[in-house]
Amino acid sequence: MFFRNVMKKLLLSLLLMSGFANAEIIVFDLVDVQIERTTKRVKQSANEKVKNHILSLYDKVPSKDVDEIIDNVMIFSKKYDLEPGLLLGLIESESGFQKGISNGYGAKGVMQVVQRIHHKRVSEHLKKNGGNIYALNNNIEIGSKLLRDMIDIKGSVLGGLKMYKGSNSPKYYQKVFRLKSKYDNLLSI
């Protein structure tokens, strides 16, 4: 904020000395545009750090998939009021960022959504949005919505994670929280 005010005063002085009558409006616009550009660069830089980290651990996951995962995590973490680090930690724990993965219980995709348990919700979503359960946008949105609902039902992130996994195993949720912390650090600049 201090830098912003100094920058505005400096630009305003220069423009007024040059005879611009609307100098104050011009200064605010210029400074606001510069701050917006800087904010976008910071967000891109944080996303690049996350992407590079994921690719360094999971070299078989295509770069374009990692980009799509990060983009969808950012969109749906905001939509469902979840921390991006929590979703990234959950995805790493559940699937290692592999979009085509499934297990013997019927869990599918990066968020390991169990379609037979959440059949109505998954069917409604896929009917409305098209695609399939393995599509990253569908899988991450459905998983995010389920997690948000479970957190609301249980009253805490810990309770929601236990319900999401269907287990009280401390090993699981400790891992997710450890991974969340790692992604929170990568996302902060």
Short mmCIF file of all heavy atoms in Angstrom, two decimals, residues 37-97:
data_model
loop_
_atom_site.label_atom_id
_atom_site.label_comp_id
_atom_site.label_asym_id
_atom_site.label_seq_id
_atom_site.Cartn_x
_atom_site.Cartn_y
_atom_site.Cartn_z
N ARG A 37 -1.46 -6.38 -13.17
CA ARG A 37 -0.47 -7.18 -13.91
C ARG A 37 0.46 -7.92 -12.95
O ARG A 37 0.78 -9.08 -13.16
CB ARG A 37 0.36 -6.28 -14.83
CG ARG A 37 -0.37 -5.83 -16.05
CD ARG A 37 0.55 -5.03 -16.95
NE ARG A 37 -0.18 -4.46 -18.04
CZ ARG A 37 0.17 -3.36 -18.66
NH1 ARG A 37 1.26 -2.71 -18.30
NH2 ARG A 37 -0.55 -2.90 -19.65
N THR A 38 0.90 -7.24 -11.91
CA THR A 38 1.79 -7.85 -10.93
C THR A 38 1.09 -9.01 -10.23
O THR A 38 1.68 -10.07 -10.04
CB THR A 38 2.26 -6.80 -9.90
OG1 THR A 38 2.90 -5.74 -10.60
CG2 THR A 38 3.21 -7.40 -8.89
N THR A 39 -0.17 -8.83 -9.87
CA THR A 39 -0.93 -9.89 -9.21
C THR A 39 -1.05 -11.10 -10.12
O THR A 39 -0.89 -12.23 -9.67
CB THR A 39 -2.34 -9.37 -8.83
OG1 THR A 39 -2.18 -8.24 -7.98
CG2 THR A 39 -3.15 -10.43 -8.12
N LYS A 40 -1.32 -10.89 -11.40
CA LYS A 40 -1.41 -12.01 -12.34
C LYS A 40 -0.08 -12.75 -12.45
O LYS A 40 -0.04 -13.97 -12.49
CB LYS A 40 -1.85 -11.51 -13.72
CG LYS A 40 -3.33 -11.21 -13.81
CD LYS A 40 -3.72 -10.78 -15.20
CE LYS A 40 -5.20 -10.44 -15.27
NZ LYS A 40 -5.58 -9.93 -16.57
N ARG A 41 1.04 -11.98 -12.48
CA ARG A 41 2.36 -12.62 -12.56
C ARG A 41 2.64 -13.45 -11.32
O ARG A 41 3.19 -14.54 -11.40
CB ARG A 41 3.45 -11.57 -12.76
CG ARG A 41 3.65 -11.15 -14.19
CD ARG A 41 5.00 -10.48 -14.39
NE ARG A 41 5.25 -9.36 -13.52
CZ ARG A 41 4.92 -8.10 -13.77
NH1 ARG A 41 4.30 -7.80 -14.89
NH2 ARG A 41 5.20 -7.14 -12.92
N VAL A 42 2.27 -12.95 -10.16
CA VAL A 42 2.49 -13.68 -8.91
C VAL A 42 1.69 -14.98 -8.92
O VAL A 42 2.22 -16.04 -8.59
CB VAL A 42 2.12 -12.81 -7.69
CG1 VAL A 42 2.04 -13.63 -6.42
CG2 VAL A 42 3.13 -11.68 -7.53
N LYS A 43 0.41 -14.93 -9.34
CA LYS A 43 -0.41 -16.13 -9.40
C LYS A 43 0.17 -17.13 -10.38
O LYS A 43 0.23 -18.33 -10.12
CB LYS A 43 -1.85 -15.79 -9.78
CG LYS A 43 -2.63 -15.15 -8.66
CD LYS A 43 -4.05 -14.83 -9.09
CE LYS A 43 -4.80 -14.12 -7.98
NZ LYS A 43 -6.12 -13.68 -8.42
N GLN A 44 0.61 -16.65 -11.55
CA GLN A 44 1.20 -17.54 -12.54
C GLN A 44 2.48 -18.17 -12.00
O GLN A 44 2.73 -19.35 -12.19
CB GLN A 44 1.48 -16.79 -13.84
CG GLN A 44 0.24 -16.46 -14.62
CD GLN A 44 0.50 -15.55 -15.81
OE1 GLN A 44 1.55 -14.93 -15.91
NE2 GLN A 44 -0.47 -15.46 -16.69
N SER A 45 3.26 -17.38 -11.29
CA SER A 45 4.51 -17.88 -10.73
C SER A 45 4.24 -18.97 -9.70
O SER A 45 4.91 -20.00 -9.68
CB SER A 45 5.28 -16.72 -10.09
OG SER A 45 6.42 -17.19 -9.45
N ALA A 46 3.24 -18.77 -8.83
CA ALA A 46 2.90 -19.77 -7.83
C ALA A 46 2.40 -21.04 -8.51
O ALA A 46 2.79 -22.16 -8.13
CB ALA A 46 1.83 -19.22 -6.88
N ASN A 47 1.54 -20.91 -9.52
CA ASN A 47 1.05 -22.08 -10.25
C ASN A 47 2.19 -22.81 -10.94
O ASN A 47 2.19 -24.04 -11.00
CB ASN A 47 -0.01 -21.67 -11.26
CG ASN A 47 -1.32 -21.27 -10.61
OD1 ASN A 47 -1.48 -21.35 -9.39
ND2 ASN A 47 -2.27 -20.84 -11.41
N GLU A 48 3.17 -22.07 -11.47
CA GLU A 48 4.34 -22.69 -12.10
C GLU A 48 5.15 -23.48 -11.08
O GLU A 48 5.65 -24.56 -11.39
CB GLU A 48 5.21 -21.64 -12.79
CG GLU A 48 4.67 -21.16 -14.12
CD GLU A 48 4.57 -22.27 -15.16
OE1 GLU A 48 5.54 -23.04 -15.35
OE2 GLU A 48 3.51 -22.38 -15.79
N LYS A 49 5.29 -22.94 -9.87
CA LYS A 49 6.01 -23.67 -8.82
C LYS A 49 5.31 -24.98 -8.50
O LYS A 49 5.95 -26.02 -8.36
CB LYS A 49 6.12 -22.80 -7.55
CG LYS A 49 7.18 -21.73 -7.64
CD LYS A 49 7.16 -20.74 -6.49
CE LYS A 49 7.17 -21.31 -5.14
NZ LYS A 49 7.20 -20.28 -4.07
N VAL A 50 3.99 -24.93 -8.40
CA VAL A 50 3.22 -26.15 -8.13
C VAL A 50 3.37 -27.13 -9.29
O VAL A 50 3.64 -28.31 -9.08
CB VAL A 50 1.72 -25.82 -7.89
CG1 VAL A 50 0.88 -27.08 -7.85
CG2 VAL A 50 1.56 -25.03 -6.59
N LYS A 51 3.23 -26.64 -10.49
CA LYS A 51 3.35 -27.50 -11.68
C LYS A 51 4.73 -28.17 -11.73
O LYS A 51 4.83 -29.38 -11.91
CB LYS A 51 3.14 -26.67 -12.95
CG LYS A 51 3.32 -27.48 -14.22
CD LYS A 51 3.17 -26.61 -15.45
CE LYS A 51 3.42 -27.41 -16.71
NZ LYS A 51 3.25 -26.61 -17.92
N ASN A 52 5.78 -27.38 -11.55
CA ASN A 52 7.14 -27.94 -11.59
C ASN A 52 7.35 -28.98 -10.49
O ASN A 52 8.00 -30.01 -10.72
CB ASN A 52 8.17 -26.82 -11.49
CG ASN A 52 8.18 -25.95 -12.72
OD1 ASN A 52 7.77 -26.37 -13.80
ND2 ASN A 52 8.62 -24.71 -12.58
N HIS A 53 6.79 -28.72 -9.33
CA HIS A 53 6.91 -29.68 -8.23
C HIS A 53 6.22 -31.00 -8.59
O HIS A 53 6.79 -32.08 -8.42
CB HIS A 53 6.31 -29.09 -6.95
CG HIS A 53 6.28 -30.08 -5.83
ND1 HIS A 53 7.40 -30.46 -5.14
CD2 HIS A 53 5.24 -30.80 -5.32
CE1 HIS A 53 7.07 -31.36 -4.24
NE2 HIS A 53 5.77 -31.59 -4.32
N ILE A 54 5.00 -30.90 -9.08
CA ILE A 54 4.24 -32.11 -9.44
C ILE A 54 4.98 -32.89 -10.53
O ILE A 54 5.15 -34.11 -10.43
CB ILE A 54 2.81 -31.75 -9.90
CG1 ILE A 54 2.00 -31.20 -8.72
CG2 ILE A 54 2.11 -32.96 -10.52
CD1 ILE A 54 0.68 -30.56 -9.11
N LEU A 55 5.45 -32.19 -11.55
CA LEU A 55 6.16 -32.87 -12.65
C LEU A 55 7.47 -33.50 -12.18
O LEU A 55 7.89 -34.52 -12.73
CB LEU A 55 6.40 -31.90 -13.80
CG LEU A 55 5.14 -31.49 -14.57
CD1 LEU A 55 5.46 -30.39 -15.59
CD2 LEU A 55 4.47 -32.68 -15.24
N SER A 56 8.10 -32.92 -11.18
CA SER A 56 9.35 -33.50 -10.66
C SER A 56 9.09 -34.80 -9.91
O SER A 56 9.95 -35.68 -9.86
CB SER A 56 10.09 -32.50 -9.76
OG SER A 56 9.44 -32.38 -8.51
N LEU A 57 7.90 -34.94 -9.33
CA LEU A 57 7.55 -36.15 -8.58
C LEU A 57 6.88 -37.20 -9.46
O LEU A 57 7.04 -38.40 -9.23
CB LEU A 57 6.60 -35.81 -7.42
CG LEU A 57 7.15 -34.94 -6.31
CD1 LEU A 57 6.05 -34.62 -5.31
CD2 LEU A 57 8.32 -35.62 -5.62
N TYR A 58 6.09 -36.74 -10.41
CA TYR A 58 5.26 -37.63 -11.23
C TYR A 58 5.56 -37.38 -12.70
O TYR A 58 4.77 -36.78 -13.41
CB TYR A 58 3.77 -37.41 -10.92
CG TYR A 58 3.44 -37.63 -9.47
CD1 TYR A 58 3.37 -36.56 -8.58
CD2 TYR A 58 3.23 -38.92 -8.99
CE1 TYR A 58 3.08 -36.78 -7.24
CE2 TYR A 58 2.94 -39.13 -7.65
CZ TYR A 58 2.87 -38.06 -6.78
OH TYR A 58 2.59 -38.27 -5.46
N ASP A 59 6.70 -37.88 -13.16
CA ASP A 59 7.15 -37.57 -14.52
C ASP A 59 6.32 -38.25 -15.61
O ASP A 59 6.40 -37.90 -16.77
CB ASP A 59 8.63 -37.89 -14.69
CG ASP A 59 8.98 -39.35 -14.43
OD1 ASP A 59 8.12 -40.08 -13.89
OD2 ASP A 59 10.10 -39.75 -14.74
N LYS A 60 5.48 -39.20 -15.23
CA LYS A 60 4.63 -39.87 -16.23
C LYS A 60 3.31 -39.12 -16.45
O LYS A 60 2.56 -39.43 -17.37
CB LYS A 60 4.34 -41.31 -15.80
CG LYS A 60 5.59 -42.16 -15.70
CD LYS A 60 5.36 -43.54 -16.17
CE LYS A 60 6.53 -44.48 -15.98
NZ LYS A 60 7.80 -44.07 -16.40
N VAL A 61 3.01 -38.14 -15.59
CA VAL A 61 1.79 -37.34 -15.74
C VAL A 61 2.08 -36.25 -16.77
O VAL A 61 3.03 -35.48 -16.62
CB VAL A 61 1.35 -36.71 -14.40
CG1 VAL A 61 0.13 -35.84 -14.58
CG2 VAL A 61 1.09 -37.81 -13.37
N PRO A 62 1.29 -36.19 -17.85
CA PRO A 62 1.53 -35.18 -18.90
C PRO A 62 1.40 -33.75 -18.35
O PRO A 62 0.53 -33.45 -17.54
CB PRO A 62 0.44 -35.46 -19.93
CG PRO A 62 0.00 -36.86 -19.68
CD PRO A 62 0.18 -37.09 -18.21
N SER A 63 2.27 -32.90 -18.84
CA SER A 63 2.30 -31.49 -18.43
C SER A 63 0.94 -30.82 -18.64
O SER A 63 0.48 -30.05 -17.79
CB SER A 63 3.39 -30.76 -19.21
OG SER A 63 3.42 -29.41 -18.87
N LYS A 64 0.29 -31.13 -19.75
CA LYS A 64 -1.03 -30.51 -20.03
C LYS A 64 -2.06 -30.95 -19.00
O LYS A 64 -2.94 -30.17 -18.64
CB LYS A 64 -1.48 -30.78 -21.46
CG LYS A 64 -1.82 -32.22 -21.78
CD LYS A 64 -2.30 -32.36 -23.21
CE LYS A 64 -2.71 -33.75 -23.56
NZ LYS A 64 -3.67 -34.41 -22.70
N ASP A 65 -1.96 -32.18 -18.52
CA ASP A 65 -2.88 -32.64 -17.47
C ASP A 65 -2.63 -31.88 -16.16
O ASP A 65 -3.57 -31.51 -15.47
CB ASP A 65 -2.73 -34.14 -17.22
CG ASP A 65 -3.33 -34.99 -18.32
OD1 ASP A 65 -3.95 -34.43 -19.26
OD2 ASP A 65 -3.17 -36.23 -18.26
N VAL A 66 -1.36 -31.65 -15.84
CA VAL A 66 -1.04 -30.91 -14.63
C VAL A 66 -1.58 -29.49 -14.72
O VAL A 66 -2.17 -28.98 -13.76
CB VAL A 66 0.49 -30.91 -14.35
CG1 VAL A 66 0.83 -30.03 -13.17
CG2 VAL A 66 1.00 -32.33 -14.13
N ASP A 67 -1.41 -28.86 -15.88
CA ASP A 67 -1.98 -27.52 -16.08
C ASP A 67 -3.50 -27.53 -15.85
O ASP A 67 -4.05 -26.66 -15.18
CB ASP A 67 -1.71 -27.00 -17.50
CG ASP A 67 -0.27 -26.58 -17.71
OD1 ASP A 67 0.39 -26.17 -16.73
OD2 ASP A 67 0.20 -26.64 -18.86
N GLU A 68 -4.16 -28.53 -16.44
CA GLU A 68 -5.62 -28.61 -16.32
C GLU A 68 -6.05 -28.90 -14.88
O GLU A 68 -7.04 -28.35 -14.40
CB GLU A 68 -6.15 -29.69 -17.28
CG GLU A 68 -7.65 -29.66 -17.43
CD GLU A 68 -8.18 -30.66 -18.46
OE1 GLU A 68 -7.40 -31.17 -19.29
OE2 GLU A 68 -9.40 -30.93 -18.41
N ILE A 69 -5.30 -29.74 -14.20
CA ILE A 69 -5.61 -30.03 -12.79
C ILE A 69 -5.50 -28.76 -11.96
O ILE A 69 -6.41 -28.41 -11.20
CB ILE A 69 -4.68 -31.14 -12.23
CG1 ILE A 69 -5.04 -32.49 -12.85
CG2 ILE A 69 -4.75 -31.19 -10.70
CD1 ILE A 69 -4.01 -33.59 -12.59
N ILE A 70 -4.39 -28.04 -12.12
CA ILE A 70 -4.18 -26.81 -11.35
C ILE A 70 -5.28 -25.79 -11.66
O ILE A 70 -5.85 -25.18 -10.75
CB ILE A 70 -2.78 -26.23 -11.60
CG1 ILE A 70 -1.72 -27.17 -11.02
CG2 ILE A 70 -2.65 -24.82 -10.99
CD1 ILE A 70 -0.29 -26.83 -11.44
N ASP A 71 -5.59 -25.61 -12.94
CA ASP A 71 -6.65 -24.66 -13.32
C ASP A 71 -7.99 -25.02 -12.67
O ASP A 71 -8.68 -24.17 -12.12
CB ASP A 71 -6.82 -24.60 -14.85
CG ASP A 71 -5.66 -23.92 -15.55
OD1 ASP A 71 -4.84 -23.24 -14.88
OD2 ASP A 71 -5.56 -24.07 -16.78
N ASN A 72 -8.34 -26.31 -12.74
CA ASN A 72 -9.61 -26.75 -12.16
C ASN A 72 -9.61 -26.66 -10.64
O ASN A 72 -10.63 -26.31 -10.04
CB ASN A 72 -9.94 -28.18 -12.62
CG ASN A 72 -10.53 -28.20 -14.01
OD1 ASN A 72 -11.66 -27.77 -14.22
ND2 ASN A 72 -9.76 -28.66 -14.98
N VAL A 73 -8.48 -26.96 -10.02
CA VAL A 73 -8.38 -26.83 -8.56
C VAL A 73 -8.63 -25.37 -8.17
O VAL A 73 -9.36 -25.09 -7.21
CB VAL A 73 -7.02 -27.33 -8.04
CG1 VAL A 73 -6.72 -26.79 -6.65
CG2 VAL A 73 -6.99 -28.85 -8.06
N MET A 74 -8.04 -24.44 -8.90
CA MET A 74 -8.23 -23.02 -8.58
C MET A 74 -9.69 -22.60 -8.75
O MET A 74 -10.25 -21.88 -7.93
CB MET A 74 -7.31 -22.14 -9.43
CG MET A 74 -5.84 -22.35 -9.16
SD MET A 74 -5.45 -22.20 -7.41
CE MET A 74 -3.83 -22.89 -7.35
N ILE A 75 -10.31 -23.06 -9.81
CA ILE A 75 -11.71 -22.72 -10.07
C ILE A 75 -12.64 -23.30 -8.99
O ILE A 75 -13.45 -22.59 -8.40
CB ILE A 75 -12.15 -23.23 -11.46
CG1 ILE A 75 -11.45 -22.43 -12.56
CG2 ILE A 75 -13.67 -23.18 -11.62
CD1 ILE A 75 -11.53 -23.07 -13.95
N PHE A 76 -12.49 -24.60 -8.72
CA PHE A 76 -13.44 -25.26 -7.83
C PHE A 76 -13.12 -25.04 -6.36
O PHE A 76 -14.01 -25.13 -5.52
CB PHE A 76 -13.58 -26.73 -8.20
CG PHE A 76 -14.12 -26.90 -9.59
CD1 PHE A 76 -13.42 -27.59 -10.56
CD2 PHE A 76 -15.33 -26.31 -9.95
CE1 PHE A 76 -13.91 -27.70 -11.86
CE2 PHE A 76 -15.84 -26.42 -11.23
CZ PHE A 76 -15.12 -27.12 -12.20
N SER A 77 -11.88 -24.73 -6.03
CA SER A 77 -11.59 -24.38 -4.63
C SER A 77 -12.30 -23.08 -4.29
O SER A 77 -12.85 -22.93 -3.20
CB SER A 77 -10.08 -24.27 -4.38
OG SER A 77 -9.50 -23.21 -5.12
N LYS A 78 -12.31 -22.17 -5.24
CA LYS A 78 -13.01 -20.90 -5.04
C LYS A 78 -14.53 -21.13 -5.01
O LYS A 78 -15.22 -20.62 -4.14
CB LYS A 78 -12.64 -19.91 -6.14
CG LYS A 78 -13.16 -18.50 -5.92
CD LYS A 78 -12.59 -17.54 -6.94
CE LYS A 78 -11.14 -17.29 -6.59
NZ LYS A 78 -10.52 -16.21 -7.33
N LYS A 79 -15.03 -21.90 -5.96
CA LYS A 79 -16.48 -22.14 -6.06
C LYS A 79 -17.04 -22.81 -4.81
O LYS A 79 -18.13 -22.48 -4.35
CB LYS A 79 -16.79 -23.00 -7.29
CG LYS A 79 -18.27 -23.27 -7.49
CD LYS A 79 -18.53 -24.01 -8.79
CE LYS A 79 -20.03 -24.25 -8.99
NZ LYS A 79 -20.29 -24.92 -10.28
N TYR A 80 -16.30 -23.75 -4.23
CA TYR A 80 -16.79 -24.52 -3.10
C TYR A 80 -16.11 -24.13 -1.78
O TYR A 80 -16.23 -24.85 -0.79
CB TYR A 80 -16.65 -26.03 -3.36
CG TYR A 80 -17.52 -26.45 -4.52
CD1 TYR A 80 -16.96 -26.81 -5.75
CD2 TYR A 80 -18.90 -26.44 -4.41
CE1 TYR A 80 -17.76 -27.18 -6.81
CE2 TYR A 80 -19.72 -26.80 -5.47
CZ TYR A 80 -19.14 -27.17 -6.67
OH TYR A 80 -19.95 -27.51 -7.73
N ASP A 81 -15.43 -23.01 -1.77
CA ASP A 81 -14.81 -22.47 -0.57
C ASP A 81 -13.90 -23.49 0.12
O ASP A 81 -14.05 -23.81 1.30
CB ASP A 81 -15.89 -21.96 0.41
CG ASP A 81 -15.30 -21.11 1.53
OD1 ASP A 81 -14.22 -20.52 1.33
OD2 ASP A 81 -15.91 -21.07 2.62
N LEU A 82 -12.98 -24.02 -0.67
CA LEU A 82 -11.98 -24.96 -0.18
C LEU A 82 -10.60 -24.38 -0.47
O LEU A 82 -10.43 -23.62 -1.42
CB LEU A 82 -12.13 -26.32 -0.88
CG LEU A 82 -13.43 -27.05 -0.66
CD1 LEU A 82 -13.61 -28.15 -1.71
CD2 LEU A 82 -13.49 -27.63 0.74
N GLU A 83 -9.63 -24.74 0.31
CA GLU A 83 -8.27 -24.27 0.06
C GLU A 83 -7.66 -25.07 -1.10
O GLU A 83 -7.76 -26.31 -1.12
CB GLU A 83 -7.41 -24.40 1.30
CG GLU A 83 -7.87 -23.52 2.44
CD GLU A 83 -7.02 -23.70 3.68
OE1 GLU A 83 -5.81 -23.45 3.60
OE2 GLU A 83 -7.58 -24.10 4.71
N PRO A 84 -7.02 -24.38 -2.05
CA PRO A 84 -6.40 -25.10 -3.17
C PRO A 84 -5.38 -26.15 -2.69
O PRO A 84 -5.31 -27.24 -3.25
CB PRO A 84 -5.70 -24.00 -3.97
CG PRO A 84 -6.36 -22.74 -3.58
CD PRO A 84 -6.87 -22.93 -2.18
N GLY A 85 -4.64 -25.82 -1.64
CA GLY A 85 -3.66 -26.77 -1.11
C GLY A 85 -4.30 -28.05 -0.61
O GLY A 85 -3.73 -29.14 -0.74
N LEU A 86 -5.50 -27.93 -0.04
CA LEU A 86 -6.23 -29.12 0.43
C LEU A 86 -6.61 -30.00 -0.76
O LEU A 86 -6.40 -31.22 -0.72
CB LEU A 86 -7.48 -28.70 1.20
CG LEU A 86 -8.39 -29.84 1.67
CD1 LEU A 86 -7.68 -30.75 2.66
CD2 LEU A 86 -9.67 -29.27 2.29
N LEU A 87 -7.13 -29.40 -1.82
CA LEU A 87 -7.51 -30.20 -2.99
C LEU A 87 -6.29 -30.84 -3.65
O LEU A 87 -6.34 -32.01 -4.03
CB LEU A 87 -8.28 -29.34 -4.00
CG LEU A 87 -9.67 -28.89 -3.57
CD1 LEU A 87 -10.31 -28.04 -4.67
CD2 LEU A 87 -10.56 -30.06 -3.21
N LEU A 88 -5.21 -30.08 -3.78
CA LEU A 88 -3.99 -30.65 -4.37
C LEU A 88 -3.43 -31.78 -3.51
O LEU A 88 -3.01 -32.82 -4.04
CB LEU A 88 -2.94 -29.55 -4.58
CG LEU A 88 -3.27 -28.55 -5.68
CD1 LEU A 88 -2.38 -27.31 -5.58
CD2 LEU A 88 -3.13 -29.19 -7.06
N GLY A 89 -3.45 -31.60 -2.19
CA GLY A 89 -2.99 -32.67 -1.29
C GLY A 89 -3.86 -33.90 -1.39
O GLY A 89 -3.36 -35.04 -1.39
N LEU A 90 -5.17 -33.69 -1.47
CA LEU A 90 -6.10 -34.81 -1.62
C LEU A 90 -5.87 -35.54 -2.94
O LEU A 90 -5.81 -36.77 -2.97
CB LEU A 90 -7.55 -34.30 -1.53
CG LEU A 90 -8.65 -35.34 -1.64
CD1 LEU A 90 -8.71 -36.17 -0.37
CD2 LEU A 90 -9.98 -34.66 -1.87
N ILE A 91 -5.70 -34.78 -4.01
CA ILE A 91 -5.47 -35.39 -5.33
C ILE A 91 -4.17 -36.19 -5.34
O ILE A 91 -4.13 -37.32 -5.83
CB ILE A 91 -5.49 -34.32 -6.44
CG1 ILE A 91 -6.92 -33.78 -6.63
CG2 ILE A 91 -4.94 -34.88 -7.76
CD1 ILE A 91 -7.02 -32.55 -7.50
N GLU A 92 -3.11 -35.62 -4.78
CA GLU A 92 -1.84 -36.36 -4.75
C GLU A 92 -1.99 -37.64 -3.94
O GLU A 92 -1.53 -38.70 -4.35
CB GLU A 92 -0.71 -35.51 -4.17
CG GLU A 92 0.61 -36.27 -4.15
CD GLU A 92 1.81 -35.45 -3.75
OE1 GLU A 92 1.77 -34.20 -3.86
OE2 GLU A 92 2.82 -36.06 -3.35
N SER A 93 -2.65 -37.55 -2.80
CA SER A 93 -2.82 -38.71 -1.94
C SER A 93 -3.70 -39.78 -2.59
O SER A 93 -3.40 -40.97 -2.51
CB SER A 93 -3.45 -38.26 -0.62
OG SER A 93 -3.66 -39.36 0.23
N GLU A 94 -4.76 -39.35 -3.23
CA GLU A 94 -5.72 -40.29 -3.81
C GLU A 94 -5.23 -40.94 -5.10
O GLU A 94 -5.46 -42.12 -5.32
CB GLU A 94 -7.06 -39.59 -4.08
CG GLU A 94 -7.84 -39.22 -2.83
CD GLU A 94 -8.47 -40.43 -2.14
OE1 GLU A 94 -8.64 -41.49 -2.77
OE2 GLU A 94 -8.79 -40.29 -0.95
N SER A 95 -4.59 -40.15 -5.98
CA SER A 95 -4.32 -40.67 -7.32
C SER A 95 -2.92 -40.40 -7.87
O SER A 95 -2.60 -40.87 -8.96
CB SER A 95 -5.32 -40.05 -8.30
OG SER A 95 -5.09 -38.65 -8.40
N GLY A 96 -2.13 -39.62 -7.16
CA GLY A 96 -0.83 -39.26 -7.72
C GLY A 96 -0.98 -38.49 -9.02
O GLY A 96 -0.14 -38.60 -9.91
N PHE A 97 -2.07 -37.73 -9.16
CA PHE A 97 -2.36 -36.88 -10.31
C PHE A 97 -2.62 -37.65 -11.60
O PHE A 97 -2.55 -37.09 -12.69
CB PHE A 97 -1.25 -35.84 -10.51
CG PHE A 97 -1.09 -34.92 -9.34
CD1 PHE A 97 -0.13 -35.16 -8.37
CD2 PHE A 97 -1.92 -33.82 -9.19
CE1 PHE A 97 0.00 -34.31 -7.27
CE2 PHE A 97 -1.81 -32.98 -8.09
CZ PHE A 97 -0.83 -33.23 -7.13
#
